[in-house]
């Protein structure tokens, strides 16, 4: 995409965002199309002796993707269709301020400041970045959020806002909602049978389980290998880490398992540690679980925030 195409992409959104955001959108494209070097935290590449991973972060306007890699692909690689590591803007569930994301937690650094960090969270991956200053982080935080909001069509925004679980929502739950949330605890402790869609492209009969003492969700396989000689990998996600609960097939793993035709049975639970892409037996079962599970997550996240505030007051 040339500069004229990029300009037209920005111009097309003028009617839906205010003048100030148009200016910030221009700034974001101007900086990110060139690329910026940042510290990238990755749980799979533990930092040793403070040797942080310096990577280039840029936006590819051709495919509307925020990329993060050591080098940008060459013209030959682009012509061959190479897609760099990153996350599609339309897939981003949350632009999370601070260092409360899995990649940061797995890489403890006493010199790191929360105010200099943010994480882009989606179904394909989470990208945790550290900036040189809080000012720089705040500049990118605001513009990443504007960029995500701008890429979505009005209809997509409406659907996403309905689907999105806002972790900062402080709305009080009614007694009826609290009862529904707590009733789901015992169900999840026993386990809910689902089909687990994995990044490997496999679909595995599993159960979704909740450990209340750790506020931890896990997926345990119900299948076993020959003579039980292999152990299944562990899939876990903290309830406090959940960014979005997304019904339908709009998730990276559902594409890999070629399951988009089953969208009415599918649900994604999205966090910075992992994404649980799960399938139910019917749309009715999926919707019934979805409605109760939202209250369940809201209840525990609100409870955690309340306890944190009480601790600060002591």
């Amino acid at each position: 995409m040339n500069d004229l195409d990029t300009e037209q992409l920005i111009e097309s959104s003028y009617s839906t965002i205010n003048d100030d955001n148009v200016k910030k959108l221009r700034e974001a494209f101007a900086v990110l199309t060139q690329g910026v070097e940042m510290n990238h935290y990755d749980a799979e590449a533990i930092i040793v002796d403070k040797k942080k991973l310096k990577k280039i972060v840029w936006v590819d306007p051709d495919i509307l993707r925020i990329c993060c890699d050591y080098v940008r692909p060459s013209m030959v690689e682009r012509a061959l269709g190479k897609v760099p590591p990153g996350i599609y803007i339309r897939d981003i569930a949350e632009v999370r301020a601070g260092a409360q994301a899995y990649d940061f937690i797995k890489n403890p650094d006493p010199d790191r400041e929360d105010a200099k960090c943010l994480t882009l969270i989606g179904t394909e991956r989470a990208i945790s970045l550290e900036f040189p200053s809080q000012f720089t982080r705040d500049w990118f935080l605001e513009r990443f959020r504007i960029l995500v909001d701008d890429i979505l069509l009005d209809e997509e925004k409406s659907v996403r806002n309905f689907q999105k679980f806002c972790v900062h929502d402080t709305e009080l739950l009614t007694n009826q909602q609290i009862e529904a949330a707590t009733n789901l605890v015992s169900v999840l402790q026993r386990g809910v049978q689902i089909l687990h869609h994995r990044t490997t492209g496999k679909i595995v009969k599993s159960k979704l389980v909740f450990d209340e003492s750790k506020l931890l969700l896990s997926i345990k396989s119900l299948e076993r290998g020959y003579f039980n000689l292999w152990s299944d990998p562990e899939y876990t996600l903290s309830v406090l880490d959940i960014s979005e609960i997304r019904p339908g097939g709009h998730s990276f793993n559902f594409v890999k398992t070629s399951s988009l035709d089953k969208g009415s049975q599918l649900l994604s639970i999205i966090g910075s540690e992992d994404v649980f892409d799960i399938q139910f037996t019917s749309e009715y079962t999926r919707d019934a679980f979805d409605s109760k599970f939202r209250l369940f997550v809201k209840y525990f996240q609100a409870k955690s925030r309340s306890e944190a505030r009480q601790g600060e007051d002591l």
Side-chain angles (χ1 to χ4, degrees), residues 7-138:
E7 190 75 12
Q8 289 173 342
L9 178 64
I10 299 172
E11 293 285 349
S12 67
S13 65
Y14 277 10
S15 61
T16 60
I17 58 178
N18 60 44
D19 291 341
D20 185 46
N21 282 355
V22 168
K23 178 183 177 182
K24 292 172 181 176
L25 186 63
R26 285 179 177 275
E27 292 170 348
F29 268 101
V31 172
L32 288 169
T33 50
Q34 296 299 315
V36 183
E37 188 177 68
M38 302 181 192
N39 289 330
H40 176 223
Y41 283 75
D42 186 347
E44 296 181 359
I46 303 299
I47 293 172
V48 179
D49 296 330
K50 297 186 178 180
K51 294 180 180 178
K52 300 175 183 178
L53 301 177
K54 291 281 188 180
K55 292 188 180 180
I56 302 170
V57 177
W58 75 97
V59 64
D60 186 333
D62 287 330
I63 55 177
L64 298 178
R65 182 176 176 85
I66 295 174
C67 307
C68 181
D69 205 356
Y70 294 104
V71 295
R72 298 176 71 149
S74 66
M75 292 183 65
V76 173
E77 289 173 325
R78 285 176 59 85
L80 292 174
K82 178 181 178 180
V83 178
I87 184 171
Y88 290 102
I89 298 172
R90 183 168 271 109
D91 182 40
I92 295 175
E94 182 187 359
V95 182
R96 183 182 297 177
Q100 297 306 308
Y102 183 72
D103 290 325
F104 287 124
I105 294 170
K106 294 295 286 186
N107 275 294
D109 182 353
D111 297 329
R112 184 180 61 223
E113 298 178 29
D114 280 19
K116 296 180 181 179
C117 301
L118 67 77
T119 301
L120 307 174
I121 301 172
T123 66
E124 184 176 358
R125 61 169 46 86
I127 302 176
S128 296
L129 303 170
E130 180 187 29
F131 296 80
S133 68
Q134 182 177 350
F135 175 84
T136 310
R137 192 287 306 267
D138 290 346

